[in-house]
Amino acid sequence: MNKQIDLEIPADSEVIIGILNNSDSVLKRLYLAYFPMVLQLILNNNGNEDDAKDVYQEAIIVLYNKVKRGDFELSSKLKTYIYSICRRLWLKRLKQLNRYGGDIKDFQEYLPVEDEIEKHQDRDMQLNKMEDALKLLGEPCKTIMEDFYMHSKSMQEICERFGYTNADNAKTQKYKCLQRLKKLFFQQ
C-alpha cells in the first residue's frame, strides 16, 4: 500500500465501517490521524508523551467498543468526539494522580470541549449550507469562487482563465457572483 494513503486521515464514516469490519488499516490510520492533537492536549496539561499514548489508546478502545455495540451515533466530527474522550480521561487521571487538586471546571478556560463541539457542529452546518449554495450557483461563478477563495488564485489568473479583458472586469464578475452566492446561502 502507498505510504501517502496510509497517512491520509480517514473519513468519519470510513472509520465506523472499518471498525465494524475489523479493518486494521483503518485503525492504524486513525491512530496516526489524531494522536498529535491528543499529544498537544496532554503536554499542555501536565503530561508527557507516554501519558498521551495511554490516554489515546483508551479513547480508541472506548470508540471501538461503542461502535461494536451497534448503537453508536456520531453527533459531531469524529476528531471532536475523540478529543472530548481524551480530555475527560486525562482530567480523571490527573485527579487520581493528585497532579491537579482543583475543580475540573477550572480547565474550561483551556479546554472548552462542550462549547467547541457545539461550535464545530454549527460550523459544519454552515459549511454544508455553503456547499449546497455553491452547487446551485452555476458556472462560471462556482469556478470563480473556488479559484479565488479555495485555490487562492489572483484576479489576473482568473481574468486569463475566463477571458475577461482585465483584472478589474474579473473582480466585478467575482463580486456579482459573491452576491448571488450570499443570496442562495441565506435562502436555505
Side-chain angles (χ1 to χ4, degrees):
M1 186 178 266
N2 185 336
K3 283 193 174 203
Q4 188 172 1
I5 293 173
D6 284 342
L7 298 177
E8 289 178 5
I9 295 174
D12 294 356
S13 58
E14 185 182 355
V15 171
I16 305 304
I17 292 168
I19 290 172
L20 291 172
N21 292 327
N22 300 315
S23 170
D24 289 337
S25 67
V26 169
L27 282 175
K28 286 177 187 172
R29 287 171 49 212
L30 178 63
Y31 271 100
L32 293 172
Y34 302 128
F35 180 71
M37 167 188 73
V38 174
L39 177 61
Q40 192 64 45
L41 166 72
I42 303 302
L43 292 177
N44 288 341
N45 292 285
N46 301 320
N48 59 41
E49 188 172 348
D50 287 336
D51 294 327
K53 288 177 183 175
D54 291 344
V55 167
Y56 194 51
Q57 175 73 24
E58 285 181 60
I60 298 301
I61 290 170
V62 168
L63 172 66
Y64 182 88
N65 288 335
K66 285 183 179 263
V67 170
K68 282 295 198 175
R69 258 199 319 255
D71 60 352
F72 180 71
E73 189 175 318
L74 192 61
S75 60
S76 66
K77 290 280 188 189
L78 188 60
K79 180 179 182 177
T80 305
Y81 181 78
I82 290 171
Y83 182 90
S84 178
I85 293 172
C86 290
R87 175 186 172 268
R88 290 178 190 279
L89 289 171
W90 182 241
L91 291 175
K92 184 177 176 183
R93 185 168 302 171
L94 282 177
K95 196 160 189 156
Q96 289 170 344
L97 296 172
N98 290 325
R99 285 196 206 164
Y100 175 68
D103 187 357
I104 287 178
K105 291 177 185 166
D106 292 344
F107 273 100
Q108 293 301 320
E109 178 180 336
Y110 305 103
L111 304 169
V113 172
E114 286 79 11
D115 293 341
E116 289 298 315
I117 289 173
E118 194 171 300
K119 286 178 189 173
H120 283 294
Q121 288 172 338
D122 288 345
R123 185 157 189 239
D124 287 345
M125 188 175 71
Q126 296 295 323
L127 288 173
N128 288 336
K129 278 179 65 177
M130 182 58 70
E131 186 178 355
D132 292 343
L134 266 173
K135 287 177 186 173
L136 296 171
L137 188 59
E139 294 298 338
C141 285
K142 179 178 183 244
T143 304
I144 291 172
M145 294 286 101
E146 289 173 347
D147 282 355
F148 187 78
Y149 291 105
M150 295 176 190
H151 305 297
S152 302
K153 291 193 177 184
S154 70
M155 291 314 298
Q156 186 59 43
E157 290 173 304
I158 292 171
C159 171
E160 291 167 8
R161 179 174 181 180
F162 290 95
Y164 295 112
T165 53
N166 58 47
D168 286 335
N169 288 347
K171 191 174 184 178
T172 301
Q173 184 61 40
K174 180 189 70 80
Y175 176 78
K176 290 177 182 177
C177 292
L178 183 58
Q179 296 308 310
R180 285 184 47 212
L181 181 62
K182 285 180 182 178
K183 185 177 178 182
L184 288 168
F185 177 82
F186 288 111
Q187 284 177 348
Q188 294 181 19

